[in-house]
Amino acid sequence: MKLSKKNTELINKIRDEWLEIAQSGKDITIKDVEQGVTDLYALDNRKKPAIFILNDPFESQYLANLLSKHSSVNYPEFDSQFDDQIDSQIETHILSQIESHTNSQIHSQIHSQIYSQIYSQIHSQIHVYIDSRLGPCSIQVCNFHPFTGGRGQRTTSGIPSRISSLIYLQAQEQYNYGTYPFGGLLLRAGFLAEYEYYIKSGIINLTYKQKQLFIQHINLFKSGVWDMFVFENDCIITKTPKIKRDHKTRLHSLTSKAVEFRSGFGFYAIHGVVFNEELWYNVKDRKLTPEQLLSMKNTDQRFVAMNHYGFENIIDGLDKKLIDKSKYGNELYSVQFDKVELKFLSYPDIDNPAKKRISFVDPILESASDAMAWKHNCTEEEYHKMEILKIWK
Amino acid sequence: MEMSITVMQYVTFQGDVDIRSIKNIPSSAILLDTKTVMHGEATGHHHTFSDGQVLVYEPHENDTVSVRGEDVKVQKYILVLSDATLTHQEHASQVIPKGNYAILQEREWDVLENQIRRVID
């Protein structure tokens, strides 16, 4: 089965809708959350729990740790219920009705894109922060993961006695990074979006009851649930953050935190690289000298910072070596940067020869003319024949 | 439909716009109601034909031309029916001779993309 234009449009629509839900920072719809959680617990023949709606993952993790300390370890079995009633049905349909390459195509266009944009880029940042602040815990926090093939149970080693309000406040004051052990929309959005596509496109058909169950479930997460911890009598919900990206979908903002929860909890990033607050301000406002930039210890941060400054503005600070110069005044340089060889062209602007331009080129290139030909998508021979270059002669 | 087109001879550039002659413009290309081949993202400047007879086409999203052994994405196609002048606010005007052309974007080595350790797993 080949995906039609209509199918592709539906894939894009569903994918973008889930990304928007997970990134927009929209406030939660309490009525929908209450209904969704009630339905979820009813699925496992449980009564509606007390619902805590919190602003960021740190608060949620902290409360989850406290509740776990005082709560029985009788966690709801939502995952197995879903597995029995929906997940296995969907997977069976997919395997029997869709060719593997089409399945892979759909998976890569929906799940993989959402997963890479939401989970991969954000999870580890939050994870590192919370673990560093709350330490390893001796509790099992059940974090609900339908459709992931496993119960999201976290086994760690001990709520430390040092967790106190003082530590909590100190951690809050250092709100530069955030973390969370498991993602909500962070982890589920990809699977849910993919299954929503299969159902909406009519590729697979569920029974009325299964469909209702699925709709109830996605409505819960579409109401703005970033993550949830589920206990026997309590359910902790975290609201979604606002997430900003560059044109290549990397976490990025030069005006505020790239990931920011409603409490202010979040972190700064430039083109996918995370910075602490002070360094982020210094880089984005270009307050560092070229020498300070070049002495930054973190390679990723240094690359991104140099890119933000403009390589051409700091090139004089680099130890560059002239490789070749053409008759048109184009100069090809090599520069060693953290054991990586970069090459750049320094060349006169063809419309304003007094002005020098800088442009990085493929490091395999050996001559200035071939590098300029590469820049202009032609061979060196074609480059030398260009009419436009006759003005140099 | 992905197209791979054999590249012919005439090549030139105006600023960051590269122009290459090609044998034919694929039938999947869509004729546009414009004489502008590219807009500057930051400046608002544009590369536009001011005279001559020129048709500008939108390529299929996967259309490429083969250059130096690499497939380079086609930004636009142009059919120049009679010699036409390509203008721009900051670059010298150029007369483009009659023929079929692919419009390409000037290349630059993306240091971030190629050198940085990828953050995304």
Side-chain angles (χ1 to χ4, degrees):
Chain A
M1 184 187 80
K2 194 180 174 185
L3 289 178
S4 66
K5 187 181 175 190
K6 197 175 168 185
N7 284 335
T8 304
E9 286 172 354
L10 182 60
I11 283 172
N12 294 341
K13 181 172 177 286
I14 291 173
R15 181 197 62 217
D16 293 345
E17 185 188 354
W18 280 95
L19 283 171
E20 174 67 13
I21 292 166
Q23 310 187 129
S24 64
K26 89 177 183 81
D27 203 359
I28 217 157
T29 314
I30 292 176
K31 188 182 162 194
D32 290 345
V33 168
E34 286 196 338
Q35 185 62 55
V37 171
T38 303
D39 291 338
L40 197 62
Y41 274 66
L43 183 68
D44 199 35
N45 297 316
R46 291 170 187 270
K47 65 179 183 182
K48 178 186 172 186
I51 301 172
F52 300 89
I53 299 176
L54 300 179
N55 285 319
D56 72 48
F58 188 86
E59 293 175 358
S60 296
Q61 180 68 68
Y62 187 78
L63 179 58
N65 289 359
L66 290 178
L67 287 174
S68 300
K69 199 174 179 183
H70 301 290
S71 178
S72 69
V73 193
N74 182 16
Y75 301 114
E77 294 285 349
F78 302 137
D79 53 330
S80 60
Q81 293 289 344
F82 262 87
D83 186 47
D84 291 345
Q85 297 186 41
I86 295 186
D87 196 19
S88 59
Q89 300 293 324
I90 291 177
E91 288 298 334
T92 304
H93 277 285
I94 291 171
L95 289 173
S96 65
Q97 295 180 23
I98 304 171
E99 293 169 19
S100 61
H101 72 274
T102 305
N103 184 12
S104 300
Q105 193 180 347
I106 293 168
H107 187 74
S108 70
Q109 287 185 28
I110 303 183
H111 175 265
S112 301
Q113 287 191 30
I114 294 176
Y115 188 84
S116 66
Q117 287 189 41
I118 303 296
Y119 184 81
S120 297
Q121 292 186 37
I122 299 173
H123 173 263
S124 63
Q125 298 300 331
I126 300 178
H127 181 83
V128 167
Y129 179 82
I130 288 186
D131 272 8
S132 71
R133 298 311 192 271
L134 295 186
C137 304
S138 68
I139 56 167
Q140 288 189 327
V141 176
C142 176
N143 207 310
F144 178 41
H145 283 268
F147 312 129
T148 57
R151 178 177 170 179
Q153 190 171 70
R154 187 188 189 207
T155 305
T156 49
S157 57
I159 294 181
S161 58
R162 61 185 166 80
I163 291 180
S164 65
S165 58
L166 179 62
I167 290 175
Y168 180 49
L169 288 174
Q170 284 178 345
Q172 278 188 315
E173 284 173 6
Q174 298 173 42
Y175 265 166
N176 289 334
Y177 295 87
T179 182
Y180 212 38
F182 297 104
L185 277 169
L186 193 74
L187 189 61
R188 294 182 200 102
F191 288 97
L192 293 173
E194 188 174 345
Y195 288 175
E196 185 178 2
Y197 166 73
Y198 283 125
I199 293 167
K200 281 191 171 173
S201 64
I203 291 175
I204 57 174
N205 291 306
L206 299 178
T207 64
Y208 178 78
K209 189 183 169 189
Q210 288 169 336
K211 196 175 275 185
Q212 289 303 107
L213 194 56
F214 184 76
I215 290 170
Q216 278 176 7
H217 189 62
I218 61 171
N219 284 346
L220 170 61
F221 292 106
K222 284 186 175 180
S223 63
V225 175
W226 173 255
D227 206 348
M228 60 192 298
F229 285 100
V230 292
F231 297 93
E232 185 174 13
N233 300 309
D234 306 294
C235 179
I236 305 169
I237 303 286
T238 312
K239 295 179 181 179
T240 53
K242 184 172 280 184
I243 298 172
K244 296 178 179 176
R245 300 178 185 282
D246 64 12
H247 69 289
K248 290 188 175 174
T249 74
R250 297 174 292 210
L251 295 175
H252 173 79
S253 176
L254 295 174
T255 56
S256 62
K257 288 172 180 166
V259 176
E260 186 165 19
F261 288 86
R262 299 180 75 79
S263 62
F265 181 102
F267 52 89
Y268 297 93
I270 300 174
H271 296 306
V273 177
V274 172
F275 287 79
N276 68 38
E277 186 173 26
E278 183 184 1
L279 189 54
W280 177 80
Y281 269 104
N282 284 335
V283 169
K284 71 116 177 165
D285 293 336
R286 297 185 173 87
K287 286 181 179 172
L288 301 176
T289 63
E291 291 73 27
Q292 286 174 312
L293 259 188
L294 292 167
S295 63
M296 285 170 69
K297 288 182 179 171
N298 183 294
T299 310
D300 293 347
Q301 289 180 336
R302 188 163 67 245
F303 258 122
V304 165
M306 288 172 71
N307 184 63
H308 177 61
Y309 271 62
F311 285 95
E312 65 275 19
N313 296 321
I314 53 175
I315 217 79
D316 288 339
L318 300 173
D319 185 18
K320 59 185 187 290
K321 177 184 162 194
L322 179 65
I323 297 175
D324 183 46
K325 184 173 182 177
S326 76
K327 61 183 177 183
Y328 305 119
N330 305 327
E331 295 170 333
L332 180 65
Y333 288 93
S334 166
V335 60
Q336 284 293 129
F337 192 85
D338 289 327
K339 299 178 183 173
V340 173
E341 183 186 32
L342 301 178
K343 286 184 182 173
F344 67 89
L345 270 171
S346 173
Y347 59 100
D349 187 318
I350 196 162
D351 297 304
N352 180 11
K355 184 179 176 183
K356 281 268 182 182
R357 289 185 174 271
I358 296 285
S359 180
F360 280 85
V361 296
D362 191 334
I364 65 167
L365 299 165
E366 297 292 343
S367 77
S369 289
D370 198 26
M372 193 56 94
W374 177 88
K375 264 184 76 58
H376 288 295
N377 296 292
C378 60
T379 64
E380 189 172 354
E381 185 186 0
E382 289 172 333
Y383 171 72
H384 286 299
K385 288 180 181 172
M386 279 190 188
E387 289 283 326
I388 192 172
L389 297 178
K390 289 179 181 170
I391 64 169
W392 297 107
K393 292 175 181 172
Chain B
M1 177 178 58
E2 191 164 340
M3 301 294 296
S4 188
I5 299 151
T6 305
V7 179
M8 303 290 282
Q9 283 298 312
Y10 187 88
V11 291
T12 188
F13 66 92
Q14 183 183 62
D16 60 352
V17 167
D18 297 338
I19 303 167
R20 299 187 62 87
S21 61
I22 53 175
K23 214 168 197 175
N24 297 303
I25 295 173
S27 57
S28 59
I30 299 167
L31 180 61
L32 302 174
D33 184 19
T34 183
K35 301 293 181 198
T36 297
V37 296
M38 203 162 324
H39 283 276
E41 287 180 11
T43 61
H45 295 163
H46 47 87
H47 303 263
T48 301
F49 283 98
S50 61
D51 60 13
Q53 289 183 291
V54 181
L55 300 176
V56 179
Y57 294 84
E58 186 70 36
H60 184 277
E61 63 178 344
N62 295 326
D63 281 5
T64 58
V65 291
S66 179
V67 181
R68 302 170 65 103
E70 295 178 60
D71 291 332
V72 180
K73 182 176 169 56
V74 177
Q75 305 294 324
K76 290 281 187 296
Y77 294 110
I78 53 173
L79 170 56
V80 179
L81 298 164
S82 65
D83 293 3
T85 306
L86 186 63
T87 64
H88 186 271
Q89 287 84 347
E90 288 191 335
H91 303 298
S93 296
Q94 284 188 56
V95 175
I96 308 297
K98 181 181 175 180
N100 297 313
Y101 299 92
I103 303 293
L104 311 175
Q105 177 78 53
E106 180 192 72
R107 287 199 282 189
E108 186 158 26
W109 185 253
D110 188 333
V111 174
L112 275 186
E113 194 69 20
N114 289 287
Q115 305 296 160
I116 200 167
R117 176 170 56 76
R118 286 182 63 80
V119 175
I120 303 169
D121 293 332

